[in-house]
Amino acid sequence: MKFADQNLAKPRPGSLNDFSLPRRESYYPSSADWRNEVLYFLLPDRFSDGKENTRPLLNRQQLNQSRPNLPNGQSWRFDKWAESGGDRWQGGTLKGLESKLDYLNQLGVTTIWIGPIFQQRGHLNTYHGYGIQDFLEVDPRFGTRQELVGLVNQAHKKGLRIILDIIFNHSGYNWDYAPGTPRGEQKPPYTSSWYQFGSWLGDQGQIIAGKPRTNADGVWPSELQEADCYSRAGYSEEGLGRGDLEDPNAEFRRSDFINLRDFQLDYPHLLDNLARCYKYWIALTDCDGFRIDTLKHVTYDQARNFCGTIKEFAANLGKSDFFLVGEIAGGDYNQDRYLDIVGQNLNAALDIGEMRGNLNQVAKGLIDPRAYFNGFDPGNAVMGSHRNLGRRHVSILDDHDHVFGEKIRFSSEAASDHQVVAGVALQLFTLGIPCIYAGTEQALAGPETAERKWLSDWKKCDRYLREAMFGPEHPRQFGVAGLQSVDQNLPGFGPFGTAGAHCFDSNHPAYVRIGAMAAIRKQFPVLRLGRQYLRPTAIPFLNLPFGDHGRSGEIIGWSRVLDDEEALCALNSHGTDNRGAKVLVDANLNPIGSTMTVVLNTAEAAVPGYTGPHKVGSTVPVQRQDKIAYVEIQPIPASEFLILINQP
């Protein structure tokens, strides 16, 4: 009997001794090269409940139609909508996600990264999943272990891989400090020493005597029920804490996050026990990788040892390159440092530092393109050489918390409903592993500009990055009651400041263009694996000759080169106007008399009856000037994107 069949036939383990891990069973193979993948990240509570066919598709031209009155005759209130988004579960499920696999397949996604699905404390509204109460159980709001296994199986049948989001730096708010602790038992100030452990918390957050007894008490498995498993160093007022990256005892590595409890990973066997929890999930679900939360907050040795044992276990199951990607806050330097030290045990880091902000601004034509492309240059980049970087960096445009910068999506301040395509084009066709955040393909943006005045924390709060795409009518009730019923006094946290209408629109201008780009990326290896060169441009209408002018809002040209094949990418980074340019190409790969063929034009892909220049299949002659080779890109519409290839 397979491990999954054997373990799904009985309750979840209460101890790590309650199961024996398998080896060399038949498991889904790893990707041959993760650069070939297109990732899609979602928070399961905010993605789908599987009931979209009971709700209308959101009418974006008449949003007020999806802003229902509140009970007792109250008119729609944006502060109530915001309250719903910040404090309540919305009702997304694993079965709901399974119902949207075809939607993601059509978009061109190949790997789904699912936010944490492990059981949270029932009395708290930790819908984001980063405060675990039971490391061996699925949160009942999302579904069951059986449904998670079924989701992975269905994804694999459709050629999709699944990455689970995991945490081993901390647990949820499962216990209180001892009575008399300075500033109280919940959040005492940080100390370089330690505080006394107090009591485990019960199902409603109440203090209980002794060890946890029921599944809803304290923390599980039982191996985590020792006080010395936790650093007990208090709460850092600065959130992420202070200290030097090279200091294994730095404050940011010992302090609690708000409503969380930090592990003391040097405690005997604790790291091994946490790794065993996650080996259980690999064996049970056949998942394909992990996104590792708060990796910066563990030491280099802890990161290397944890990642190493996970990699080795997966390899022994036949997953030769189980994908491990780390969230490493603090900027590009910190990412590079962990990647270098952890080495082959860590595949990649999420690009959530300076590069994400530069990507945003370059895609909108607001800053010099070199601010982004120089990040790939081995002479400038802390992330490594252009060959190395492609494997070790996961490109992020939008995500669920925006560690750096304003907490709004790309499209919240966009010039059109498809300007986000410019950002995704840079993700898909520059070095690295692209990751699309749920809703980016629908250009989610929050309420209209005129309505944001009602939101006092606009741009400052994570909630505005976390709309529920399925458009719930109402959120779940507060706390444990939310397991059974909804709160009809609040509207659901639907897209664009609405409730009761979903936005899974496969005809949306951004969705259609992204799908076309992903299909071409899959077709041509040069676009995934080739070397990368930012190309000088000449701008005829400004009488500017070839050179790195550093002008924002113009055509950005870059090449991907694989052996004798050159793919030229040309992006109009201006948000409202047509732009054209002459773009340099490789003279050796494109001899006199040669042409390049258009294989993608996002405007043509999305605009019926497109009559503009550079239709797919047309050719552009390679011209010569002063011993250099170039092609001339005719003016293309705002935020549109072309690919021309010399070996079509």
Side-chain angles (χ1 to χ4, degrees):
M1 182 181 291
K2 285 190 174 183
F3 182 85
D5 297 330
Q6 181 182 16
N7 281 271
L8 291 176
K10 54 188 178 182
R12 73 95 172 93
S15 166
L16 296 173
N17 295 319
D18 291 347
F19 58 88
S20 298
L21 290 168
R23 66 189 73 231
R24 290 182 288 280
E25 289 187 3
S26 177
Y27 282 87
Y28 198 75
S30 298
S31 177
D33 189 325
W34 285 94
R35 292 175 295 175
N36 292 329
E37 306 298 314
V38 176
L39 277 55
Y40 185 94
F41 168 47
L42 59 91
L43 291 175
D45 178 59
R46 302 298 169 94
F47 187 63
S48 171
D49 65 354
K51 301 175 184 177
E52 289 77 30
N53 60 354
T54 68
R55 304 183 189 99
L57 179 66
L58 185 68
N59 185 331
R60 303 184 194 219
Q61 282 68 51
Q62 297 179 347
L63 292 173
N64 283 332
Q65 291 182 354
S66 297
R67 290 176 180 146
N69 288 335
L70 301 179
N72 303 317
Q74 297 182 77
S75 297
W76 176 269
R77 289 176 52 176
F78 278 99
D79 61 334
K80 292 295 185 182
W81 175 80
E83 179 185 343
S84 173
D87 296 330
R88 301 298 178 87
W89 296 73
Q90 298 295 313
T93 63
L94 294 171
K95 292 296 289 184
L97 169 54
E98 186 177 328
S99 75
K100 290 291 173 286
L101 293 179
D102 288 339
Y103 167 89
L104 296 175
N105 234 338
Q106 184 180 338
L107 181 63
V109 169
T110 65
T111 299
I112 305 169
W113 154 22
I114 307 173
I117 47 76
F118 311 107
Q119 182 169 312
Q120 307 293 295
R121 295 208 62 79
H123 68 287
L124 297 177
N125 290 298
T126 47
Y127 65 85
H128 49 72
Y130 291 101
I132 301 174
Q133 188 260 338
D134 191 331
F135 284 76
L136 295 178
E137 184 61 286
V138 169
D139 194 283
R141 293 175 181 84
F142 296 142
T144 65
R145 291 177 302 148
Q146 288 88 344
E147 287 171 345
L148 178 60
V149 171
L151 167 65
V152 177
N153 287 341
Q154 287 302 310
H156 285 167
K157 288 178 181 179
K158 295 177 181 292
L160 296 166
R161 291 184 165 84
I162 298 290
I163 292 174
L164 299 181
D165 208 320
I166 69 165
I167 304 99
F168 77 98
N169 168 69
H170 57 263
S171 74
Y173 176 29
N174 300 314
W175 54 267
D176 264 344
Y177 289 91
T181 302
R183 296 191 197 171
E185 293 80 47
Q186 296 184 16
K187 294 195 303 179
Y190 175 77
T191 175
S192 58
S193 180
W194 49 271
Y195 293 109
Q196 290 288 340
F197 182 88
S199 303
W200 295 104
L201 302 180
D203 60 342
Q204 297 282 355
Q206 77 277 20
I207 290 173
I208 62 173
K211 290 288 185 74
R213 294 178 296 276
T214 73
N215 291 355
D217 291 344
V219 69
W220 295 91
S222 59
E223 285 79 3
L224 304 181
Q225 296 171 5
E226 297 183 41
D228 287 345
C229 287
Y230 304 89
S231 62
R232 308 201 310 273
Y235 172 67
S236 171
E237 292 294 337
E238 295 195 357
L240 298 179
R242 295 172 296 204
D244 189 274
L245 192 67
E246 307 302 319
D247 179 3
N249 296 307
E251 179 177 335
F252 70 82
R253 290 197 172 107
R254 299 185 66 250
S255 57
D256 297 333
F257 291 79
I258 187 169
N259 288 333
L260 302 171
R261 292 293 185 248
D262 190 74
F263 281 126
Q264 176 56 42
L265 293 175
D266 287 337
Y267 185 64
H269 309 299
L270 176 57
L271 196 64
D272 289 340
N273 287 338
L274 288 165
R276 186 171 173 83
C277 290
Y278 292 118
K279 291 175 184 178
Y280 168 85
W281 289 109
I282 300 172
L284 188 76
T285 68
D286 197 12
C287 64
D288 303 284
F290 289 153
R291 179 268 193 186
I292 306 174
D293 185 59
T294 54
L295 194 61
K296 171 196 168 187
H297 295 268
V298 307
T299 69
Y300 300 136
D301 283 344
Q302 292 160 355
R304 181 169 51 235
N305 292 338
F306 178 86
C307 293
T309 191
I310 293 294
K311 281 274 194 185
E312 290 181 5
F313 174 76
N316 216 6
L317 294 181
K319 293 177 176 289
S320 58
D321 191 14
F322 189 80
F323 191 64
L324 295 180
V325 55
E327 182 218 23
I328 304 167
D332 294 344
Y333 172 80
N334 289 357
Q335 296 172 40
D336 179 59
R337 189 80 174 109
Y338 269 82
L339 285 167
D340 283 347
I341 292 178
V342 180
Q344 296 300 312
N345 291 344
L346 182 66
N347 289 75
L350 298 171
D351 222 349
I352 56 176
E354 294 88 343
M355 284 285 276
R356 189 193 68 79
N358 290 340
L359 168 61
N360 182 305
Q361 296 295 287
V362 167
K364 289 180 175 176
L366 300 177
I367 62 174
D368 185 337
R370 290 173 294 188
Y372 175 68
F373 281 90
N374 281 356
F376 301 100
D377 188 327
N380 297 303
V382 298
M383 291 290 286
S385 76
H386 67 288
R387 288 182 184 275
N388 185 41
L389 184 59
R391 295 180 184 274
R392 305 189 75 187
H393 126 111
V394 172
S395 176
I396 300 293
L397 180 66
D398 285 328
D399 69 5
H400 64 312
D401 58 9
H402 284 197
V403 175
F404 278 78
E406 294 177 331
K407 293 181 180 293
I408 56 172
R409 290 176 177 265
F410 180 98
S411 292
S412 294
E413 294 180 345
S416 69
D417 58 4
H418 69 272
Q419 189 178 28
V420 70
V421 171
V424 178
L426 287 165
Q427 288 186 280
L428 289 171
F429 299 109
T430 58
L431 288 163
I433 303 165
C435 181
I436 300 168
Y437 178 47
T440 294
E441 79 283 4
Q442 296 293 336
L444 295 195
E448 309 94 308
T449 302
E451 306 293 356
R452 295 170 188 172
K453 62 187 177 184
W454 308 112
L455 308 173
S456 61
D457 57 355
W458 177 252
K459 296 187 178 183
K460 302 175 184 177
C461 183
D462 293 338
R463 76 184 74 194
Y464 303 115
L465 302 166
R466 302 175 179 181
E467 306 98 318
M469 290 182 64
F470 60 96
E473 293 86 351
H474 303 284
R476 311 301 294 178
Q477 288 274 9
F478 190 90
V480 176
L483 288 165
Q484 303 297 330
S485 60
V486 300
D487 184 350
Q488 296 190 4
N489 293 310
L490 289 176
F493 194 61
F496 296 96
T498 66
H502 74 86
C503 65
F504 291 101
D505 183 1
S506 58
N507 294 314
H508 186 269
Y511 181 97
V512 172
R513 287 170 168 87
I514 292 171
M517 292 192 298
I520 288 297
R521 187 180 191 273
K522 181 178 181 180
Q523 183 178 348
F524 291 97
V526 62
L527 296 170
R528 310 185 304 271
L529 310 176
R531 304 188 306 277
Q532 175 177 298
Y533 303 95
L534 179 63
R535 293 305 195 190
T537 59
I539 307 175
F541 88 97
L542 293 176
N543 294 317
L544 290 175
F546 281 102
D548 293 323
H549 303 292
R551 291 183 62 88
S552 58
E554 300 294 338
I555 291 287
I556 304 172
W558 70 95
S559 290
R560 301 295 300 270
V561 175
L562 189 65
D563 192 27
D564 64 343
E565 192 165 348
E566 179 173 10
L568 177 65
C569 301
L571 172 66
N572 179 1
S573 66
H574 201 285
T576 58
D577 295 341
N578 294 0
R579 287 290 187 268
K582 298 176 180 178
V583 185
L584 184 144
V585 294
D586 190 299
N588 294 322
L589 298 179
N590 299 278
I592 295 173
S594 61
T595 62
M596 300 189 82
T597 301
V598 178
V599 296
L600 174 70
N601 182 328
T602 56
E604 182 181 4
V607 179
Y610 174 78
T611 58
H614 304 306
K615 298 187 74 170
V616 171
S618 65
T619 59
V620 178
V622 177
Q623 304 181 54
R624 286 294 195 278
Q625 174 183 319
D626 299 329
K627 299 183 179 180
I628 65 171
Y630 69 92
V631 296
E632 185 162 3
I633 304 299
Q634 299 300 315
I636 58 176
S639 302
E640 300 291 9
F641 178 68
L642 303 175
I643 298 178
L644 299 83
I645 291 185
N646 67 344
Q647 302 287 344

